[in-house]
Amino acid sequence: MTAHELLTSGLEQLGQHDPQAVDKLLAFSDLLLEKNKVMNLTAVTAPLEVVTRHFLDCAPLACYAAGKTVIDVGCGAGFPGIPVAILSDAKVTLLDSLGKRIKFLQEVIDELGLTGTQAVHARAEEFDHREEFDLATSRAVARLNVLAELSLPLVKVGGYFIAMKAVGSDEEIEEAKNAITILGGRLERVIDYTVPMSEGRKSRLVIVKKIKSTPAKYPRRFQKISAAPL
Ligand SMILES: C[S@@+](CC[C@H](N)C(=O)[O-])C[C@H]1O[C@@H](n2cnc3c(N)ncnc32)[C@H](O)[C@@H]1O
């Protein structure tokens, strides 16, 4: 099976039929794998695995992003932010503390013509756009209690923070409940899903609604956040 066939089938299983999105995602995959030869962007090196481990893993988030302003906290090489930008009409801000990754993502944005998407080099806890986003997303950046302090301050009251986590993250979620409450959030749902075309591999969305403003003293400096998580 080709990457094109795999991606088309996987997206169809999610109810998404968009040939242009398939082409854009595969163009992104080419850029990613090419650049990955000279800089560390992803551990995944096979085109079919880029489709399953990155694109189809992240694609279910797109339906939560429709029509929203989204910030992807610690986007790395663009996950989940780039698939979300391509598979929805969201305005996506890709945020990462590593300048080289942001430079690569700016090239991707320019090459694919992703108007409405911006790449920003900053640390989440220092990014001065408090309560401006409808949705903050994040995958593989930190434990949930730490991630909540990096992400929830950026979300508007009434908006959402959705963390992509492993299905075995029950203890981590339990541990983060206090942080979520202090930061103005409410754990709304945990959704486990089977990643299409991935031999039954499962992934999880932890959905937190922002119900109150985050107290002004958060986020703290990163050293404090990690040394004494809420
Ligand atoms: C393991 S990578 C995951 C990248 C991507 N989200 C993915 O799932 O493939 C973690 C990324 O988070 C970024 N990061 C860690 N702490 C951060 C912070 N406080 N603010 C912004 N980015 C951060 C790192 O630079 C790195 O690119």
Side-chain angles (χ1 to χ4, degrees):
M1 193 181 265
T2 65
H4 191 282
E5 288 163 346
L6 188 66
L7 182 55
T8 302
S9 303
L11 290 177
E12 275 177 3
Q13 284 184 27
L14 295 168
Q16 294 177 340
H17 315 268
D18 183 350
Q20 276 187 349
V22 169
D23 290 345
K24 280 196 174 174
L25 284 167
L26 292 176
F28 172 43
S29 176
D30 289 345
L31 293 169
L32 178 69
L33 292 178
E34 192 53 39
K35 199 61 157 200
N36 205 36
K37 292 177 187 161
V38 291
M39 67 182 278
N40 180 18
L41 287 170
T42 173
V44 172
T45 52
L48 295 182
E49 270 199 84
V50 173
V51 170
T52 53
R53 294 201 166 264
H54 287 322
F55 298 161
L56 295 175
D57 189 47
C58 296
L61 251 183
C63 65
Y64 295 92
K68 301 214 163 110
T69 52
V70 178
I71 182 157
D72 182 6
V73 174
C75 61
F79 302 107
I82 294 274
V84 165
I86 291 175
L87 294 167
S88 77
D89 60 353
K91 282 199 180 315
V92 178
T93 298
L94 303 159
L95 185 82
D96 203 280
S97 54
L98 215 63
K100 278 197 277 188
R101 293 191 174 148
I102 290 302
K103 191 166 171 272
F104 162 70
L105 289 171
Q106 190 57 56
E107 285 166 23
V108 171
I109 290 168
D110 295 341
E111 189 88 13
L112 302 187
L114 298 179
T115 51
T117 303
Q118 58 164 346
V120 179
H121 176 209
R123 295 197 63 87
E125 68 277 15
E126 292 167 5
F127 190 51
D128 194 14
H129 290 268
R130 201 174 180 81
E131 306 201 328
E132 283 189 16
F133 295 88
D134 299 316
L135 172 65
T137 63
S138 198
R139 183 181 83 162
V141 173
R143 273 183 89 78
L144 193 58
N145 52 1
V146 170
L147 193 57
E149 189 166 346
L150 299 179
S151 304
L152 267 171
L154 298 167
V155 178
K156 289 176 188 167
V157 175
Y160 284 88
F161 158 49
I162 305 184
M164 297 181 67
K165 286 285 169 188
V167 281
S169 55
D170 293 356
E171 206 183 303
E172 186 181 335
I173 294 171
E174 200 49 45
E175 173 196 64
K177 280 186 177 162
N178 185 47
I180 290 169
T181 305
I182 290 172
L183 295 160
R186 183 180 64 207
L187 178 63
E188 206 163 76
R189 277 183 85 184
V190 174
I191 299 177
D192 291 344
Y193 59 95
T194 303
V195 180
M197 309 302 287
S198 304
E199 294 168 344
R201 204 163 55 79
K202 288 194 182 289
S203 215
R204 170 175 281 184
L205 298 179
V206 181
I207 301 184
V208 174
K209 183 163 188 178
K210 178 105 172 229
I211 54 169
K212 282 192 296 199
S213 258
T214 301
K217 62 179 171 180
Y218 303 112
R220 297 164 292 165
R221 291 187 170 276
F222 190 72
Q223 221 182 355
K224 276 216 162 159
I225 298 174
S226 59
L230 294 171

